[in-house]
């Protein structure tokens, strides 16, 4: 395929350098639709060589659009790679990821494993630069799965995965991948990268606590560096080794991860031995208290019998002693007395053991009695708790019933509200490529979009009412009712006039300075009504009229994004309010128009729980401008889900997009 990485590099090094940008632009002016994408990619690559990365991105994006329109998959892929590389150089890493992701399907379709691997590796670099190390690891691993990664290139990716694991304190995984890289370098030597990689591996081993392997890998790095004259690397190795020796000397009793792993292995070995010889506690626990007492009583009776037998034996010994007094010889008497002394000692020892056994039995009996008392108390408390739980369960059942009724009512209200909002079906009459992304925070929403479409023009409004849930939904229904009257009944189509009349309607409902017969009415002032933008797209002369109150519209045309801002004053605060920012602009085919509330970029998420912010929101729209509106809708849903990462949605979210 023409857009293979080797071809791109060849064009950059040989073709582009031999042509000036001015000559390429002259060729572009006289080119036809088929030639345009290739020339625009040449210009993008020329700007890239001259380190003008913003211009490179601009022409690469034009190449993507024109290649797409002519179904030139080769130049579209080339443009995506060029745009991704230029964005990466500008440190616009999120935007670069978007381009590389889009290039994957084309590279896969072309069976170009080199570009597939290159895209994944580039995404890994971008994620790592954004400190999204887990995503970087996934991308690098996908780059490895391609057959294009061999030799030192494979070792470099292993090293990147190791670095990302080190950054998230996964030291054993970092060591594993650095060692894999070292194995590859052993087969495909590359002294410079290998020596630096071994320095990093030594540092990780040192932090892990395996100082011997740390020194070993650093000595390997020093040997390679000295052999190849890498003086700076030798100095770095010596400095790291000195630092490790100091740390070893100051270690004291503090345990490292390496020490903990060694202890875990020893404890596991001991545990296995104990399991082979120990008695199961479960058998003892399964005995009832009553059976335990029976067993103890039986044991006590056995001990008493043993004691009686020992006492009887002692009496026999006394009789034997008396008989032995008449022994014929002194030697025999001494021998008998020695035997009696031994028997007396054994009897004394037996009595002591019996006393200890009785004391143990008494202690166990007391413990068993206490256990029985606790069981009785537990049963009584359980009975009281059951009564309370039954009462709570009854109350919960009643609450569940009421909650179900309320939820059913709100769900029905959602159906009513949806029937009033702008729909895909309504927009389809005038705009074949469009989307509506509507994500209420609760069941019903304070954000709404509304439209009135005819053959001549289309009036579209999008508003963010005060609050969310039921209060916001009530405000949205009032506003939609007023728009229905102003536009459909009174025939007002000018955005400025629509906002003026809507302001007066809201003021009549919520204002505070109306008087009747010279007396002031007691009305509640609504300090915040809604933020709204209204546009009228004229299908005859291809123009757009805009007016807004505390809300804006975004337009993307030829890769450039512009914002049309509304006035800073709320609707409904003053009667006859006239200050609405009005603009009229000419439209071109392919222009993208976005109306939106602030819910998307106010959503908290990411790694630090911060807002998405308007700047990132605009960059997201620019990165996806070449996609269809349906594809954009799915992309933005995915971005929102990833950004939230399980966090609670903080506000209603609404985006409406149309392509002219």
């Amino acid at each position: 395929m023409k857009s293979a990485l080797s071809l791109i590099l060849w064009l950059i090094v040989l073709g582009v350098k031999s042509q000036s940008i001015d000559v390429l632009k002259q060729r572009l002016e006289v080119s036809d639709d088929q030639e345009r994408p290739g020339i625009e990619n040449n210009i993008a690559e020329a700007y890239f060589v001259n380190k003008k990365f913003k211009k490179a991105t601009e022409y690469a994006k034009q190449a993507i659009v024109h290649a797409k329109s002519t179904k030139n998959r080769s130049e579209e892929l080339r443009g995506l790679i060029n745009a991704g590389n230029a964005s990466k150089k500008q440190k616009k890493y999120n935007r670069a990821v978007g381009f590389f992701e889009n290039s994957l399907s084309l590279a896969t379709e072309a069976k170009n494993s080199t570009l597939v691997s290159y895209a994944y590796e580039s995404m890994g670099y971008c994620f790592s630069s954004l400190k999204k190390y887990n995503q970087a690891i996934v991308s690098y691993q996908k780059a490895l799965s391609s057959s294009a990664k061999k030799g030192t290139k494979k070792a470099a990716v292993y090293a990147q995965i190791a670095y990302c694991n080190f950054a998230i304190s996964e030291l054993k995984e970092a060591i594993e991948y650095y060692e894999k890289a070292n194995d590859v370098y052993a087969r495909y030597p590359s002294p410079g990268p290998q020596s630096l990689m071994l320095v990093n591996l030594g540092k990780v081993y040192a932090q892990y606590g395996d100082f011997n392997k740390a020194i070993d890998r650093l000595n390997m790095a020093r040997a390679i560096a000295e052999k190849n004259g890498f003086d700076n690397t030798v100095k770095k190795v010596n400095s790291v080794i000195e630092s490790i020796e100091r740390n070893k000397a100051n270690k004291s009793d503090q345990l490292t991860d390496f020490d903990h792993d060694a202890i875990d292995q020893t404890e596991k070995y001991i545990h296995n031995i104990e399991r082979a010889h120990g008695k199961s506690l479960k058998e003892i626990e399964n005995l009832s208290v009553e059976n335990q007492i029976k067993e103890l009583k039986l044991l006590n009776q056995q001990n008493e019998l043993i004691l009686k037998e020992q006492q009887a034996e002692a009496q026999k010994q006394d009789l034997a002693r008396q008989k032995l007094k008449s022994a014929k010889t002194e030697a025999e008497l001494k021998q008998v007395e020695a035997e009696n002394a031994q028997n007396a000692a054994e009897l004394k020892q037996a009595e002591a053991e019996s006393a200890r056994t009785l004391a143990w039995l008494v202690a166990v009996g007391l413990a068993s009695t206490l256990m029985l008392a606790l069981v009785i108390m537990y049963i009584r408390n359980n009975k009281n708790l059951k009564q309370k739980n039954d009462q709570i369960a009854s109350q919960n059942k009643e609450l569940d019933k009421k909650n179900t009724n309320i939820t059913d009512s709100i769900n029905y209200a959602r159906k009513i509200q949806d029937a009033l909002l702008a729909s895909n079906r309504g927009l389809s009459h005038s705009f074949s490529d469009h989307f509506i992304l509507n994500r209420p925070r609760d069941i019903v929403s304070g954000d709404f979009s509304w439209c009135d479409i005819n053959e001549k023009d289309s009036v579209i409004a999008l508003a963010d009412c005060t609050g969310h849930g039921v209060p916001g939904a009530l405000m949205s229904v009032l506003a939609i009712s007023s728009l229905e009257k102003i536009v459909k009944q009174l025939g007002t189509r000018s955005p400025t006039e629509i906002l003026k009349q809507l302001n007066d309607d809201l003021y009549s409902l919520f204002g505070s300075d109306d008087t009747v017969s010279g007396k002031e009415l007691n009305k509640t002032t609504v300090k915040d009504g809604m933020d709204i933008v209204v546009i009228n797209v004229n299908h005859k002369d291809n123009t757009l009229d805009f007016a807004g109150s505390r809300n804006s519209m975004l337009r993307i045309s030829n890769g450039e994004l512009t914002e049309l801002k509304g006035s800073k004053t709320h609707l409904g605060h003053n009667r006859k309010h006239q200050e609405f920012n009005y603009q009229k602009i000419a439209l071109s085919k392919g222009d993208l128009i976005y109306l939106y509330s602030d819910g998307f970029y106010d959503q908290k998420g990411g790694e630090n729980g911060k807002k998405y912010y308007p700047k990132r929101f605009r960059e997201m729209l620019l990165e996806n401008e070449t996609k269809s509106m349906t594809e954009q809708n799915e992309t933005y849903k995915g971005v929102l889900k990833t950004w939230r990462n399980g966090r609670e949605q903080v506000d209603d979210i609404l985006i409406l997009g149309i392509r002219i």
Side-chain angles (χ1 to χ4, degrees), residues 24 28 83 94-95 109 117 134 164 182 207 238 253-254 294 301 310 323 336 429 445 488 495 499 507 532 603 606:
L24 289 169
L28 183 62
N94 282 315
R95 186 171 70 186
E109 177 187 313
S117 178
N134 287 319
C164 292
N182 194 34
Q207 186 161 340
N238 291 335
D253 295 329
Q254 185 177 359
K294 287 180 180 179
Q301 291 172 359
Q310 290 172 342
K323 291 178 181 180
V336 172
H429 289 298
S445 175
K488 293 185 177 180
L499 289 183
Y507 188 83
I532 186 170
Q603 178 61 46

Side-chain angles (χ1 to χ4, degrees), residues 431-443:
F431 307 101
S432 59
D433 197 10
H434 65 274
F435 75 88
I436 301 174
L437 194 163
N438 186 17
R439 287 288 178 87
R441 197 199 80 162
D442 304 310
I443 298 174

Side-chain angles (χ1 to χ4, degrees), residues 469-647:
V470 174
L474 288 173
M475 178 66 77
S476 72
V477 170
L478 289 173
I480 292 172
S481 176
S482 181
L483 287 170
E484 291 277 338
K485 179 196 74 174
I486 294 167
V487 178
K488 293 185 177 180
Q489 295 179 21
L490 301 180
T492 306
R493 316 278 305 170
S494 165
T496 303
E497 292 301 320
I498 291 170
L499 289 183
K500 288 179 182 178
Q501 294 180 42
L502 181 58
N503 175 77
D504 291 346
D505 285 352
L506 292 176
Y507 188 83
S508 298
L509 286 170
F510 302 114
S512 61
D513 63 349
D514 293 330
T515 58
V516 176
S517 302
K519 295 182 179 181
E520 184 176 315
L521 291 176
N522 184 16
K523 287 190 178 182
T524 301
T525 302
V526 178
K527 294 183 179 180
D528 297 308
M530 68 186 69
D531 302 340
I532 186 170
V533 58
V534 180
I535 63 172
N536 184 321
V537 180
N538 191 306
H539 306 305
K540 301 293 184 182
D541 57 12
N542 222 24
T543 59
L544 181 147
D545 291 345
F546 163 88
S549 172
R550 300 182 64 86
N551 208 348
S552 303
M553 181 198 90
L554 294 176
R555 173 200 184 192
I556 298 178
S557 180
N558 293 323
E560 295 292 332
L561 185 146
T562 54
E563 179 179 8
L564 279 64
K565 295 183 178 181
S567 65
K568 296 182 178 180
T569 306
H570 283 289
L571 286 179
H573 282 199
N574 298 294
R575 186 182 294 280
K576 302 298 182 184
H577 180 60
Q578 304 292 325
E579 298 177 5
F580 297 113
N581 289 353
Y582 167 77
Q583 294 188 54
K584 186 181 186 72
I585 61 173
L587 298 173
S588 301
K589 185 177 180 181
D591 283 358
L592 304 178
I593 304 298
Y594 298 96
L595 310 182
Y596 54 93
S597 66
D598 59 4
F600 196 105
Y601 54 73
D602 278 350
Q603 178 61 46
K604 293 181 179 180
E607 294 180 355
N608 301 316
K610 294 184 178 180
K611 292 183 179 181
Y612 196 75
Y613 291 119
K615 180 181 178 182
R616 190 184 282 112
F617 177 73
R618 290 192 289 268
E619 289 177 349
M620 177 186 73
L621 297 179
L622 273 172
E623 288 166 7
N624 294 278
E625 63 169 311
T626 59
K627 297 180 180 178
S628 70
M629 286 305 196
T630 302
E631 292 173 329
Q632 288 188 39
N633 190 22
E634 294 304 315
T635 298
Y636 303 151
K637 289 178 183 177
V639 170
L640 181 63
K641 181 179 180 181
T642 302
W643 180 255
R644 283 179 58 191
N645 194 22
R647 289 184 175 86

Side-chain angles (χ1 to χ4, degrees), residues 420-432:
L420 299 173
L421 302 179
S423 65
N424 287 315
R425 184 177 178 184
L427 290 173
S428 297
H429 289 298
S430 296
F431 307 101
S432 59

Side-chain angles (χ1 to χ4, degrees), residues 219 250 281 399 466 528:
N219 284 333
N250 297 329
L281 293 175
L399 287 173
T466 300
D528 297 308

Side-chain angles (χ1 to χ4, degrees), residues 103-171:
S103 73
L104 284 172
S105 59
L106 295 177
T108 303
E109 177 187 313
K111 298 180 180 179
N112 191 323
S113 60
T114 301
L115 284 185
V116 169
S117 178
Y118 180 77
Y120 277 126
E121 186 177 357
S122 298
M123 288 165 61
Y125 175 85
C126 293
F127 283 132
S128 178
S129 300
L130 292 166
K131 298 184 179 180
K132 297 180 179 179
Y133 298 111
N134 287 319
Q135 291 172 263
I137 290 169
V138 172
S139 295
Y140 280 130
Q141 287 174 336
K142 288 182 179 179
L144 279 176
S145 64
S146 169
S147 60
K149 281 289 172 282
K150 297 178 181 178
T152 56
K153 292 181 179 179
K154 192 170 187 177
V157 177
Y158 277 141
Q160 290 295 333
I161 296 175
Y163 169 78
C164 292
N165 276 297
F166 175 74
I168 58 177
S169 300
E170 296 290 348
L171 300 182

Side-chain angles (χ1 to χ4, degrees), residues 440-458:
R441 197 199 80 162
D442 304 310
I443 298 174
V444 289
S445 175
D447 291 0
F448 73 86
S449 57
W450 177 90
C451 66
D452 184 56
I453 309 293
N454 60 37
E455 293 183 0
K456 179 183 176 184
D457 59 8
S458 298

